[in-house]
Amino acid sequence: MYERYSRQMLFAPIGKNGQEKLRAKHVLMIGAGALGSSNGEILTRAGVGKLTIVDRDYVEASNLQRQQLYTEEDVLQKLPKAVAAERRLRAINSDVELCAVVGDATPEMLDELVKGVDLILDATDNFETRMALNDIAHKYQIPWIYGACVGSFGMSFTIIPGKTPCLNCLLKSLPVQGMTCDTVGIIAPTVQMVVAHQTAEALKILVEDWEALRHSFVSFDLWRNQYSSMKMSRAKDESCLSCGSERTYPYLSRENLMKSEVLCGRDTVQIRPSKEGEVDLNELAAHLSSIHYEVKGNPYLLSIEMEANRIVIFKDGRALIHGTKNLAQARSIYQRLLG
Amino acid sequence: MYERYSRQMLFAPIGKNGQEKLRAKHVLMIGAGALGSSNGEILTRAGVGKLTIVDRDYVEASNLQRQQLYTEEDVLQKLPKAVAAERRLRAINSDVELCAVVGDATPEMLDELVKGVDLILDATDNFETRMALNDIAHKYQIPWIYGACVGSFGMSFTIIPGKTPCLNCLLKSLPVQGMTCDTVGIIAPTVQMVVAHQTAEALKILVEDWEALRHSFVSFDLWRNQYSSMKMSRAKDESCLSCGSERTYPYLSRENLMKSEVLCGRDTVQIRPSKEGEVDLNELAAHLSSIHYEVKGNPYLLSIEMEANRIVIFKDGRALIHGTKNLAQARSIYQRLLG
Amino acid sequence: MNKILFFAHLKDEVGEENIRIDVAGRTVAEVKELLAAEYNLQKLDSAMTAINEEFASNEDVIEAGDEVAFIPPVSGG
Amino acid sequence: MNKILFFAHLKDEVGEENIRIDVAGRTVAEVKELLAAEYNLQKLDSAMTAINEEFASNEDVIEAGDEVAFIPPVSGG
């Protein structure tokens, strides 16, 4: 029965003991895009006990270049990613209990899904969800592993509540983003290198080899041939509202959430960013033009066409996503453009 | 039509121009195990023009923990890896011309397969084949990318004939091996990290971004949290018999070839027939059945049980004798069955 | 003298992987402002900073000989 | 004084990622022999050697202050 895991059990830090531990663990993975595909496949092949996969999107042709669980057939069927992922993973390892959730990883949903979970794997594509995930992880004392990439550049950091600094210690606030996979592209090797770091750490946590954990923040650029390993002990901030002594878990509260609503009687969703602050429309227009969007606009707003949708972005960061009534789809489009 | 590659074309060093170059290129990949699965999938998703995959093995349960193209069904069917890989890759990207070769990458075979190839990807599991591949690459001036891993430790180096040192410059001779995947195990993250380095370099070569190439020898250990980047300009050896001024390509000569070998620390011996020619599997199956062996198989191979051994015979006359490391015993079994 | 390292798109914007400049006695925030102006760098203020391969905050003061690296956080996945 | 770094299984066999020892004036081959005996290291002779992150041959001589790393080649795939 364990024949399929024989090469993993031969690896001394895992062994038969570690394999049994792995089999008793439950991992929650947020996102089933590029990072999610590969993270999910590695943990499923490794024989984790249970894997819960949350994703709000469906499979599109432009995913196939790097999202390893999906095929051309999934695109034709427009399958939700969580569903397509579950199908493929089941064919790979029928021993693993798989749970696919098609939906948005809101704080409410995270609060529900996190029960009994041993590890949260970050495979999301935006900082808003990651900050909520970071708060949830600290509320329930669950380790999580940050991973992110764009272009040929990627990074990862292992966060153990009560031990390491947290994502909010590092970033202090939601960074103003410029680069996303939808604006500067992404190559598959970058995804795999982030996932290599995430899954190595995941295996250490799941087999409880705490001494082997990586304490540094890794970042690398495969095209520019860069690799950096930054020591993080000084990053812990005692006044941090997510992990410090007086916590409020700010990213779980409604006020910090990106607000989206279907506009009364129109085929349009309005998105309001979670934090205040102006968008530099000239800079954004120049950037979107450079990646071949036709940008129209005036000093107060920009407008672009994107597949079936028209998107209008205002200086205050608000956007109208025309051509949809689906909140999750609209938020996804917004985050793809504005991070 | 290029929608599926849109995120890769957005990546500035590739662009539409690079995508078209990629589409015109032919990659030869030796091995379809762990490194081959992942390398092959990334290049297929990326939209390379043609991919030739050579592998001598078939899918077994113990492969599933890290060889990402294969499923439980492939194990049940005992499919040759090259065939199972081709099936999965076709479902992923029907634009790519795939050529699967079930067989041993001997110098003769390499000499034939290498024609018109732009890049050779090393996904093999032994130094003998790599040294032959290194000789072939220098004979025909084709770039190749070394990659290898065991446990949590892996390495990669990009070899450009006429520019960089070659594998024979570095190793001087076939290293005495101690560690293989079958003696100290392997974890999937290690595979992915090697592949991340190999495929990033492959993309640079295929889109002809020569300036971006990595000149250093990379090695890392994901469990021990080590990463090293070693400069290699001093490694070039003018007296090297594979790439120096007076070359003999020593690993292409018959004397350096083994007829039977213990496979990479596994309890398995491979026998290669001394003469060329195909085996008629139907006739052999009928014969073996008539002498009361239970024969299983498919159009590519036969499998029988014989006391403590399982024997798998391929169409090209090769056989894998499982359950022994004894060359003489294995040859004896082979001769008893195939004369 | 200090060595300043730029990661990812910052390397391309600066045109070099690293530069040498004397910024001893200045805070990280001051150096970010100075470099952003000099090289027209976008969003350097939200980049993470390492001094001698160790995480540093915007208030940390750089000493002579320190190596400073700027690493922009990303969100893709 | 020299810093010696051990990769992969060599790290485990030595019990530390790095040690400090004075081997200035000796060749790489001599240092391999010395360390193999001291720590009972297997197959150190076939390990690749880097001096100050640059490939070195068995004949190269180590100087004071050099950092030496040993990296065993592997064949798995």
Side-chain angles (χ1 to χ4, degrees):
Chain A
M1 162 183 148
Y2 272 13
E3 166 61 14
R4 67 183 296 157
Y5 306 118
S6 60
R7 299 309 182 273
Q8 193 163 277
M9 293 190 294
L10 268 176
F11 180 62
I14 295 184
K16 187 153 191 302
N17 198 15
Q19 192 65 42
E20 276 161 10
K21 284 190 170 142
L22 195 51
R23 197 183 182 79
K25 298 293 165 70
H26 180 186
V27 174
L28 171 63
M29 187 172 75
I30 309 301
L35 293 176
S37 268
S38 183
N39 270 308
E41 179 158 351
I42 287 179
L43 289 185
T44 298
R45 289 191 183 274
V48 70
K50 182 174 176 181
L51 178 65
T52 299
I53 302 168
V54 185
D55 195 278
R56 65 185 174 190
D57 235 332
Y58 62 93
V59 185
E60 291 175 282
S62 65
N63 303 148
L64 293 181
Q65 161 253 354
R66 68 199 180 283
Q67 303 190 10
Q68 75 187 50
L69 293 172
Y70 312 126
T71 62
E72 293 179 351
E73 182 60 30
D74 297 325
V75 175
L76 289 175
Q77 291 190 31
K78 282 194 173 32
L79 280 185
K81 288 184 183 176
V83 173
E86 186 193 4
R87 280 193 193 172
R88 173 71 184 163
L89 294 176
R90 202 173 296 287
I92 287 170
N93 193 345
S94 53
D95 285 351
V96 174
E97 188 183 344
L98 295 163
C99 173
V101 180
V102 180
D104 215 358
T106 59
E108 291 79 7
M109 184 186 270
L110 287 172
D111 205 278
E112 208 164 290
L113 289 175
V114 88
K115 292 190 175 64
V117 158
D118 299 289
L119 169 69
I120 306 172
L121 262 184
D122 164 26
T124 183
D125 62 359
N126 65 86
F127 276 124
E128 192 194 9
T129 307
R130 282 194 184 88
M131 287 297 222
L133 191 165
N134 182 60
D135 276 357
I136 282 282
H138 285 84
K139 185 173 167 191
Y140 295 104
Q141 303 275 321
I142 299 169
W144 77 279
I145 304 170
Y146 165 58
C149 50
V150 66
S152 51
F153 182 53
M155 47 187 51
S156 182
F157 182 55
T158 306
I159 296 173
I160 312 287
K163 299 238 165 87
T164 67
C166 83
L167 191 66
N168 200 8
C169 293
L170 308 194
L171 301 180
K172 311 287 188 199
S173 64
L174 283 176
V176 180
Q177 277 291 294
M179 303 189 298
T180 77
C181 300
D182 285 56
T183 58
V184 301
I186 173 85
I187 54 171
T190 321
V191 176
Q192 297 303 336
M193 181 121 160
V194 172
V195 170
H197 285 94
Q198 286 187 288
T199 50
E201 293 294 287
L203 289 174
K204 294 173 190 175
I205 290 170
L206 296 171
V207 307
E208 299 166 23
D209 187 355
W210 304 105
E211 296 212 339
L213 284 183
R214 178 187 297 279
H215 298 295
S216 60
F217 186 105
V218 166
S219 55
F220 63 85
D221 194 308
L222 280 169
W223 212 273
R224 298 180 184 91
N225 305 315
Q226 299 180 311
Y227 187 91
S228 141
S229 182
M230 172 165 60
K231 292 186 209 78
M232 296 303 284
S233 49
R234 289 192 56 226
K236 189 140 179 74
D237 176 2
E238 274 315 315
S239 69
C240 174
L241 295 177
S242 295
C243 76
S245 44
E246 293 181 43
R247 324 169 168 198
T248 59
Y249 303 125
Y251 292 95
L252 300 184
S253 69
R254 275 255 149 239
E255 304 87 78
N256 274 312
L257 263 187
M258 184 190 283
K259 301 237 177 24
S260 52
E261 52 188 310
V262 181
L263 292 187
C264 189
R266 291 165 64 185
D267 197 20
T268 296
V269 173
Q270 176 179 261
I271 309 274
R272 255 187 315 222
S274 51
K275 65 176 163 44
E276 304 284 319
E278 286 212 341
V279 172
D280 183 333
L281 291 182
N282 288 329
E283 188 185 302
L284 183 62
H287 179 62
L288 293 171
S289 298
S290 76
I291 56 173
H292 309 302
Y293 285 110
E294 193 188 326
V295 183
K296 295 172 184 166
N298 58 41
Y300 311 102
L301 61 83
L302 291 185
S303 166
I304 64 168
E305 305 276 340
M306 185 176 167
E307 287 149 36
N309 304 108
R310 190 159 55 83
I311 297 104
V312 176
I313 302 157
F314 297 88
K315 249 165 102 169
D316 63 1
R318 243 176 350 102
L320 297 178
I321 320 290
H322 299 292
T324 183
K325 284 177 178 159
N326 182 321
L327 295 181
Q329 189 199 355
R331 273 198 296 267
S332 167
I333 290 171
Y334 183 90
Q335 285 168 339
R336 275 153 71 182
L337 290 173
L338 289 145
Chain B
M1 161 185 150
Y2 273 12
E3 166 62 14
R4 66 182 295 157
Y5 307 118
S6 60
R7 299 311 182 270
Q8 193 163 278
M9 292 190 295
L10 269 175
F11 180 63
I14 295 185
K16 188 156 192 300
N17 198 13
Q19 192 66 42
E20 276 161 10
K21 284 190 170 141
L22 195 51
R23 196 184 184 77
K25 298 293 164 71
H26 179 187
V27 174
L28 171 63
M29 187 173 75
I30 309 300
L35 293 175
S37 268
S38 182
N39 271 308
E41 179 158 350
I42 287 179
L43 289 185
T44 299
R45 289 191 183 274
V48 70
K50 181 174 177 181
L51 178 65
T52 299
I53 303 168
V54 184
D55 194 277
R56 63 185 177 190
D57 230 332
Y58 62 93
V59 186
E60 292 175 283
S62 65
N63 303 149
L64 293 181
Q65 160 253 354
R66 68 199 180 285
Q67 303 190 10
Q68 77 188 47
L69 293 172
Y70 311 125
T71 61
E72 294 180 349
E73 182 59 30
D74 296 325
V75 175
L76 289 175
Q77 290 190 33
K78 285 194 177 24
L79 279 186
K81 287 183 183 176
V83 173
E86 185 192 5
R87 281 193 193 172
R88 173 69 183 162
L89 293 176
R90 202 173 296 287
I92 286 169
N93 193 346
S94 53
D95 285 350
V96 174
E97 188 184 343
L98 295 164
C99 173
V101 179
V102 181
D104 216 358
T106 59
E108 290 80 5
M109 184 186 271
L110 287 172
D111 205 279
E112 209 164 289
L113 289 175
V114 88
K115 293 190 176 64
V117 159
D118 300 289
L119 169 68
I120 306 172
L121 263 183
D122 165 25
T124 184
D125 62 0
N126 65 86
F127 276 125
E128 192 196 8
T129 307
R130 279 193 187 90
M131 287 297 222
L133 191 165
N134 182 60
D135 276 358
I136 282 282
H138 285 83
K139 186 172 166 193
Y140 294 104
Q141 302 275 320
I142 299 169
W144 77 279
I145 305 170
Y146 166 57
C149 49
V150 67
S152 52
F153 182 52
M155 47 187 52
S156 182
F157 182 54
T158 306
I159 296 174
I160 312 286
K163 300 240 164 88
T164 67
C166 83
L167 191 64
N168 200 9
C169 294
L170 308 194
L171 302 181
K172 311 287 187 200
S173 63
L174 282 178
V176 182
Q177 277 293 292
M179 304 188 297
T180 77
C181 303
D182 297 84
T183 56
V184 301
I186 172 84
I187 55 171
T190 320
V191 176
Q192 296 304 336
M193 181 120 159
V194 172
V195 170
H197 285 92
Q198 286 186 289
T199 50
E201 293 293 287
L203 289 174
K204 293 173 191 175
I205 290 171
L206 296 171
V207 307
E208 299 167 23
D209 188 355
W210 305 103
E211 296 213 339
L213 286 183
R214 177 188 298 279
H215 298 293
S216 59
F217 186 106
V218 166
S219 55
F220 64 86
D221 194 308
L222 281 168
W223 212 273
R224 299 181 183 90
N225 304 314
Q226 298 180 311
Y227 187 91
S228 142
S229 182
M230 172 164 61
K231 291 186 210 77
M232 296 304 282
S233 48
R234 290 193 55 228
K236 188 141 181 73
D237 177 3
E238 274 314 316
S239 69
C240 173
L241 294 177
S242 294
C243 76
S245 43
E246 292 181 44
R247 324 170 169 197
T248 60
Y249 304 125
Y251 293 95
L252 299 185
S253 67
R254 266 258 153 239
E255 305 89 78
N256 276 313
L257 265 184
M258 282 187 291
K259 291 277 192 313
S260 53
E261 59 187 304
V262 181
L263 286 189
C264 186
R266 292 163 60 183
D267 204 17
T268 297
V269 173
Q270 175 178 259
I271 310 280
R272 261 190 307 228
S274 46
K275 57 179 193 298
E276 306 277 334
E278 277 209 354
V279 172
D280 184 334
L281 292 181
N282 288 328
E283 191 184 308
L284 182 62
H287 172 65
L288 292 171
S289 296
S290 77
I291 54 174
H292 310 300
Y293 284 110
E294 196 191 336
V295 183
K296 294 175 185 165
N298 58 39
Y300 312 101
L301 57 81
L302 292 185
S303 165
I304 64 167
E305 305 276 345
M306 188 178 164
E307 290 155 22
N309 303 110
R310 191 157 55 82
I311 297 102
V312 176
I313 302 155
F314 294 81
K315 250 164 101 171
D316 62 0
R318 266 181 323 112
L320 298 178
I321 320 291
H322 298 291
T324 183
K325 283 176 180 160
N326 183 319
L327 294 181
Q329 188 199 355
R331 274 197 293 267
S332 152
I333 290 172
Y334 184 86
Q335 283 164 345
R336 274 152 67 188
L337 290 174
L338 287 146
Chain C
M1 192 56 72
N2 301 94
K3 186 175 174 185
I4 318 280
L5 287 146
F6 298 97
F7 269 73
H9 66 99
L10 297 171
K11 175 181 171 184
D12 294 349
E13 285 173 33
V14 171
E16 319 234 21
E17 184 166 352
N18 60 73
I19 60 168
R20 277 169 198 285
I21 180 177
D22 185 2
V23 289
R26 299 188 196 229
T27 65
V28 167
E30 286 165 358
V31 173
K32 280 181 173 179
E33 206 171 312
L34 185 142
L35 293 170
E38 173 110 5
Y39 292 97
N40 194 24
L41 301 179
Q42 287 169 21
K43 307 189 181 76
L44 185 62
D45 53 342
S46 66
M48 292 179 291
T49 309
I51 300 181
N52 303 325
E53 301 189 336
E54 200 155 329
F55 181 89
S57 69
N58 276 333
E59 296 73 40
D60 283 330
V61 176
I62 291 152
E63 294 177 23
D66 280 353
E67 186 180 283
V68 183
F70 294 111
I71 300 168
V74 292
S75 67
Chain D
M1 192 58 71
N2 301 95
K3 186 175 175 183
I4 318 279
L5 287 146
F6 298 97
F7 269 72
H9 66 98
L10 297 171
K11 175 180 171 183
D12 295 348
E13 285 174 34
V14 172
E16 319 235 19
E17 184 166 353
N18 60 73
I19 59 167
R20 277 169 199 283
I21 180 176
D22 186 1
V23 289
R26 299 187 197 231
T27 65
V28 166
E30 285 165 0
V31 173
K32 281 182 174 178
E33 208 171 310
L34 185 141
L35 292 170
E38 173 110 5
Y39 293 97
N40 194 24
L41 300 179
Q42 285 166 22
K43 307 190 182 73
L44 185 62
D45 52 342
S46 66
M48 290 178 292
T49 309
I51 300 181
N52 303 325
E53 301 190 335
E54 200 155 328
F55 181 88
S57 69
N58 277 332
E59 296 73 41
D60 283 331
V61 176
I62 291 152
E63 294 177 21
D66 280 353
E67 186 180 284
V68 183
F70 293 112
I71 300 168
V74 292
S75 68

